[in-house]
Amino acid sequence: MHNFGWRASMRFPGNKTCTTMSTPNLRAIDTPAKGDSSPSDEGVPVSVKIRERIKQAQKRFHANDNIAEFIEPGELDKLLDEVQSKMEGVLSSLVIDTESDHNTQDTARRVAKMYLQEIYKGRYQAAPDVTEFPNVERLNELMIVGPITVRSACSHHLCPIMGKVWIGIMPNEHSNLIGLSKYARLIDWIMSRPQIQEEAVTQVADLLQTRMNPDGLAVVMDADHFCMQWRGVKDMDSRMINSVMRGSFLKDPNLRREFLSLVNNRKG
């Protein structure tokens, strides 16, 4: 029990008694310091804590959204343990004897690490650092970067998506320029999430538009989808090709034609 104070009795003439009480011990009712774990948090899965922060901020957490800003230091390790536990349950429900099967004894841990640290890392890690350079020479001619290899997973069946992407840039004197390797890093960050290709190319275009501020931007993606090749209709020849055109690529048919012609020649 907490000691909230002490009582003292004083006797006055006429057998009258007055009782006094000391100031309460405020240390016993202090609120926890910021960062301290509340008793109510004990036993709450870390995924629930992260989800509640996102909801309080009224943000989305779809499969292809980045949620790194809502993850506190040390929580990714706890999330890894949680995903491992859930994956052990999946394997158990698939009636796989992970105790005696030496091939699957550590599968749950391997899959959890693969999800959080590799193929879905674009959800849980902040954007990579990218050095931007001013367009000192005022370059204003077409630049094409590609093919850049892309790897992702279909958010419908979590099956692999493997393909190539080409980027077209029409800079202006106010544009920022980035190194060639940084295109690959930024695109990998976007693609390392469960995606559908139609939304992925738009996310890539939005990111590069914000970083570079060019007059024109074009993105073409050509990919195999294992959700069609590995399951379902099992069609090995079907591919998906889509594009996003912004600014001068959208307004100038000659520029768009030049870009697509150069990409097609490179693909051939």
Side-chain angles (χ1 to χ4, degrees), residues 7-8 18 33 40 62 65 75 111 134-135 233 251 253 263:
R7 292 177 180 271
C18 175
S40 61
H62 291 184
D65 288 328
E75 285 188 334
V111 171
N135 187 5
V233 296
K251 299 174 183 177
V263 168

Side-chain angles (χ1 to χ4, degrees), residues 85-252:
S85 177
K86 300 292 186 182
M87 186 54 59
E88 287 170 351
V90 170
L91 294 171
S92 177
S93 294
L94 290 171
V95 198
I96 296 175
D97 183 1
T98 57
E99 293 184 6
S100 61
D101 179 4
H102 61 281
N103 290 316
T104 59
Q105 284 176 354
D106 297 320
T107 293
R109 185 70 177 181
R110 286 191 291 263
V111 171
K113 291 175 67 176
M114 177 184 70
Y115 282 162
L116 294 181
Q117 299 176 2
E118 296 180 89
I119 62 177
Y120 301 154
K121 65 182 179 181
R123 297 195 78 236
Y124 307 103
Q125 299 178 6
D129 293 330
V130 173
T131 303
E132 300 170 358
F133 304 94
N135 187 5
V136 176
E137 298 298 328
R138 299 186 176 184
L139 303 174
N140 61 355
E141 298 292 340
L142 172 62
M143 300 188 302
I144 299 176
V145 180
I148 297 171
T149 300
V150 293
R151 303 172 184 85
S152 189
C154 169
S155 53
H156 296 156
H157 296 94
L158 303 184
C159 288
I161 298 173
M162 308 286 285
K164 304 286 185 182
V165 66
W166 288 261
I167 307 295
I169 302 288
M170 274 296 293
N172 59 52
E173 59 182 304
H174 304 295
S175 295
N176 294 319
L177 304 179
I178 63 175
L180 287 178
S181 66
K182 303 307 185 286
Y183 288 95
R185 292 185 185 277
L186 290 172
I187 291 171
D188 179 64
W189 181 65
I190 291 289
M191 298 303 296
S192 294
R193 313 169 191 180
Q195 285 280 12
I196 63 170
Q197 188 171 330
E198 301 93 313
E199 295 178 357
V201 291
T202 300
Q203 286 188 334
V204 169
D206 290 344
L207 180 61
L208 293 177
Q209 184 73 42
T210 301
R211 291 274 187 166
M212 303 184 69
N213 192 30
D215 275 346
L217 176 68
V219 181
V220 171
M221 188 177 296
D222 180 355
D224 290 310
H225 289 247
F226 281 60
C227 58
M228 280 189 64
Q229 298 180 357
W230 195 14
R231 55 160 303 281
V233 296
K234 297 183 180 178
D235 185 342
M236 299 298 295
D237 296 322
S238 294
R239 302 174 64 85
M240 183 174 186
I241 303 173
N242 59 342
S243 65
V244 171
M245 302 288 169
R246 302 266 176 91
S248 54
F249 285 96
L250 191 61
K251 299 174 183 177
D252 186 345

Side-chain angles (χ1 to χ4, degrees), residues 13-48:
N15 293 324
K16 293 182 179 179
T17 301
C18 175
T19 301
T20 61
M21 179 177 285
S22 69
T23 303
N25 181 1
L26 297 180
R27 289 177 58 84
I29 57 174
D30 282 347
T31 55
K34 185 176 181 181
D36 289 352
S37 296
S38 168
S40 61
D41 284 346
E42 293 180 6
V44 177
V46 68
S47 63
V48 173

